[in-house]
């Protein structure tokens, strides 16, 4: 079973609107959680990273939250733009002795329409 | 532009061919990675090199052979591939350590005929 579950699988939003993506994980112990954006035909690009003690982190119009007690994270996109159309992947790093390994969610495909 | 450069961007090969994928970074990163990504799926880790030594092999078939000739270069040698090996192959690099972000290249789109 995947240790990182994302929802929804896909969503369509109007340009200028806000949206929130969800990530639930079971990876334990937990080192950090990162959100990546992957444009079609490109490699993933890191948006935010949060460690156990952080609750929120912003990067421009992207705001990520983390609740380590419930093992949930969200990514909020404010005032969406057409360029926000992409797959958003939640990635969790587990124990420090497996630093090279990441647990990837399946991603949420976001389509922003004019 | 991405700081991790992968070549070629696209590759079509037959099942009997031998080809290589190349990855290069000049950020001074000492960890480099190969991932395989199928359509609408997350990347799957294949190999990790740390200080030019193979540290993780995720039980990848021997028809995939990685090589790290120096700290800036990572190759993936391909031989006798199967149609199900068609995918996007992503290279990434990072500083060694648990909180260091991985920087991804744009991948090589591989098609096996």
């Amino acid at each position: 079973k995947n240790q990182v579950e994302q929802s929804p699988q896909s969503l369509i939003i109007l340009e200028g609107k806000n949206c929130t993506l969800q990530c639930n994980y079971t990876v334990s112990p937990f080192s950090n959680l990162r959100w990546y954006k992957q444009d079609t035909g490109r490699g993933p690009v890191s948006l935010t990273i949060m460690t156990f003690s952080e609750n929120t982190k912003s990067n421009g119009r992207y705001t990520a939250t983390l609740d380590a007690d419930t093992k949930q994270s969200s990514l909020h996109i404010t005032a969406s733009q057409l360029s926000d159309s992409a797959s958003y992947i939640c990635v969790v790093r587990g124990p420090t002795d497996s630093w090279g390994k990441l647990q990837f969610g399946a991603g949420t495909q976001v389509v922003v329409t004019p | 532009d991405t700081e991790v450069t992968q070549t070629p961007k696209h590759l079509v090969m037959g099942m009997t061919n031998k080809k290589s994928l190349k990855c290069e970074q000049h950020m001074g990163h000492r960890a480099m990675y190969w991932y395989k990504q199928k359509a609408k799926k997350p990347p799957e880790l294949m190999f990790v090199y740390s200080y030019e030594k193979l540290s993780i092999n995720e039980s990848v078939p021997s028809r995939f052979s990685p090589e790290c000739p120096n700290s800036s270069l990572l190759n993936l040698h391909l031989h006798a591939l199967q149609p199900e090996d068609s995918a996007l192959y992503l290279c990434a690099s990072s500083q060694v350590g648990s909180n260091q972000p991985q920087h991804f290249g744009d991948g090589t789109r591989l098609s096996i005929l």
Side-chain angles (χ1 to χ4, degrees):
Chain A
K1 186 180 187 304
N2 195 359
Q3 297 186 66
V4 181
E5 300 283 350
Q6 290 188 243
S7 62
Q9 187 174 22
S10 62
L11 69 95
I12 300 173
I13 60 173
L14 288 174
E15 186 178 14
K17 298 296 186 182
N18 304 334
C19 68
T20 300
L21 316 179
Q22 300 291 341
C23 174
N24 296 338
Y25 62 93
T26 58
V27 179
S28 182
F30 161 84
S31 179
N32 62 57
L33 184 147
R34 195 182 297 273
W35 283 92
Y36 279 88
K37 177 187 179 188
Q38 185 172 20
D39 292 311
T40 301
R42 307 295 300 272
V45 175
S46 178
L47 293 176
T48 64
I49 179 174
M50 287 181 292
T51 58
F52 183 86
S53 60
E54 295 176 298
N55 300 119
T56 186
K57 186 72 70 76
S58 290
N59 177 1
R61 294 180 296 102
Y62 300 103
T63 299
T65 65
L66 173 65
D67 186 334
D69 292 331
T70 61
K71 294 185 169 57
Q72 295 180 325
S73 176
S74 67
L75 180 69
H76 186 76
I77 304 175
T78 303
S80 61
Q81 299 177 358
L82 298 178
S83 60
D84 293 330
S85 295
S87 178
Y88 292 84
I89 306 172
C90 176
V91 183
V92 179
R93 188 186 293 281
T96 54
D97 62 354
S98 63
W99 64 268
K101 289 192 177 185
L102 303 174
Q103 301 293 336
F104 286 79
T108 292
Q109 187 68 45
V110 173
V111 175
V112 181
T113 62
Chain B
D1 289 337
T2 181
E3 296 167 304
V4 176
T5 303
Q6 291 188 243
T7 56
K9 293 190 185 304
H10 302 276
L11 178 62
V12 179
M13 57 187 287
M15 289 189 285
T16 59
N17 292 154
K18 287 184 181 181
K19 296 286 185 184
S20 297
L21 309 185
K22 297 186 182 301
C23 175
E24 188 169 3
Q25 58 87 15
H26 295 288
M27 294 178 282
H29 292 167
R30 300 304 295 277
M32 296 187 77
Y33 313 76
W34 279 116
Y35 289 88
K36 173 183 178 181
Q37 186 177 26
K38 302 286 270 186
K40 301 190 187 303
K41 299 289 188 182
E44 298 174 12
L45 183 66
M46 300 174 71
F47 303 103
V48 180
Y49 274 82
S50 172
Y51 299 106
E52 296 84 67
K53 292 192 187 324
L54 185 64
S55 60
I56 296 176
N57 176 343
E58 290 289 273
S59 302
V60 179
S62 60
R63 58 185 184 268
F64 295 92
S65 175
E67 177 196 20
C68 190
N70 60 56
S71 59
S72 299
L73 294 175
L74 185 67
N75 299 321
L76 186 63
H77 303 299
L78 315 173
H79 174 55
L81 295 193
Q82 303 298 310
E84 61 266 27
D85 297 322
S86 297
L88 180 68
Y89 288 83
L90 292 165
C91 173
S93 71
S94 75
Q95 298 287 3
V96 175
S98 63
N99 278 353
Q100 300 304 316
Q102 292 186 17
H103 297 255
F104 287 83
D106 286 336
T108 292
R109 176 72 60 187
L110 177 65
S111 298
I112 306 301
L113 301 178

